[in-house]
Amino acid sequence: MPDGLEIHESDALLITDVQNDFCPGGGLAVPDGHEVVPIINRLATSFRTVILTQDWHPLGHLSFASSHSSKMPFDTITLEHGEQILWPDHCVQDTPGAELYSGLKVPHAQLILRKGYHRDIDSYSAFLENDQITPTGLAGYLRERGLTRVLLAGLALDFCVRYSAEDACRCGFKAIVIEDACRAIDTDDGSLGAARQSFAELAIMSIKSTELNLIA
Ligand code: VGL
Ligand code: ZN
């Protein structure tokens, strides 16, 4: 498609949390999470800069329901910076569940950014932890390398992809979500609808991978 979206040298593909625990059989399986893998593998070859993120929690992480007495997964607690959803244990550092999904083939990825490693704070976004103050360093990495636009793929669309896209915007980058290269958790309280609404409000473009002019 000649009138598709051109990929530039100043673009980064940010592949979010494509890890065993977010795929079928994992601790926090995203419905059909593994389906993004062939799409991402194909997309990634067209990008000079590919960054992977890895959710990387210590045992007993505050975001785990199991760390709180009488709480169940998907219950919430209130923290200083807002509401925290409590998740099933997932992506515990150095466990098989935290490993990148084995079908993911992006050998040219240059950075694997781990997040969520502070026990008392979650980090959905690849830019800022959930207090919205603590930086991960990704904005500086992108700026220092002259990268201006971030295209997002991975898991989960309504959590880590959403918050990374929002923060990319807030940090001064253009953010584009590649929807078919993402899958959502879609919690009962409407997390997927909320993500779409937020993308619209922040003018975050949401596209299909077929709209990109890929290299062959
Ligand atoms: C994620 C919930 C908890 C994600 C990570 O990758 O979207 N969601 N930890
Ligand atoms: Zn997590």
Side-chain angles (χ1 to χ4, degrees):
M1 226 194 299
D3 54 352
L5 205 87
E6 213 60 59
I7 297 167
H8 301 123
E9 290 199 343
S10 54
D11 289 340
L13 178 66
L14 184 65
I15 303 173
T16 303
D17 297 359
V18 182
Q19 291 164 267
N20 291 331
D21 268 341
F22 295 120
C23 291
L28 177 45
V30 178
D32 304 323
H34 65 301
E35 289 181 4
V36 301
V37 172
I39 300 170
I40 290 174
N41 288 348
R42 207 174 93 70
L43 270 177
T45 58
S46 292
F47 287 84
R48 201 168 70 147
T49 304
V50 178
I51 299 165
L52 300 164
T53 70
Q54 211 174 6
D55 212 32
W56 196 251
H57 299 308
L59 266 177
H61 191 251
L62 150 138
S63 76
F64 296 169
S66 64
S67 304
H68 306 268
S69 53
S70 66
K71 292 287 182 191
M72 298 289 289
F74 304 98
D75 285 351
T76 59
I77 56 170
T78 304
L79 303 173
E80 241 169 75
H81 59 261
E83 190 175 88
Q84 169 75 50
I85 302 178
L86 298 176
W87 304 105
D89 289 16
H90 64 279
C91 298
V92 173
Q93 294 170 2
D94 216 18
T95 63
E99 284 169 19
L100 295 169
Y101 189 77
S102 60
L104 190 67
K105 291 282 179 280
V106 280
H108 61 302
Q110 294 169 348
L111 175 69
I112 300 176
L113 182 110
R114 288 172 169 169
K115 60 182 181 62
Y117 43 72
H118 292 132
R119 183 183 306 267
D120 294 324
I121 181 166
D122 208 356
S123 189
Y124 294 150
S125 159
F127 291 87
L128 294 174
E129 301 195 24
N130 286 9
D131 60 1
Q132 295 195 302
I133 298 168
T134 310
T136 63
L138 182 58
Y141 176 91
L142 295 172
R143 264 187 221 117
E144 200 164 2
R145 300 193 53 173
L147 301 162
T148 56
R149 199 165 68 161
V150 181
L151 289 92
L152 297 102
L155 308 170
L157 176 60
D158 42 350
F159 288 94
C160 290
V161 174
R162 171 192 172 176
Y163 290 99
S164 294
E166 290 180 4
D167 285 347
C169 246
R170 291 194 186 105
C171 293
F173 302 97
K174 177 130 183 75
I176 301 177
V177 175
I178 310 170
E179 273 243 14
D180 57 318
C182 300
R183 290 294 182 278
I185 295 174
D186 198 8
T187 58
D188 292 340
D189 65 349
S191 56
L192 180 56
R196 294 223 167 92
Q197 191 178 330
S198 162
F199 294 160
E201 282 167 10
L202 293 170
I204 293 170
M205 241 169 104
S206 186
I207 63 161
K208 294 198 185 78
S209 60
T210 50
E211 293 175 66
L212 287 169
N213 289 342
L214 300 180
I215 301 164

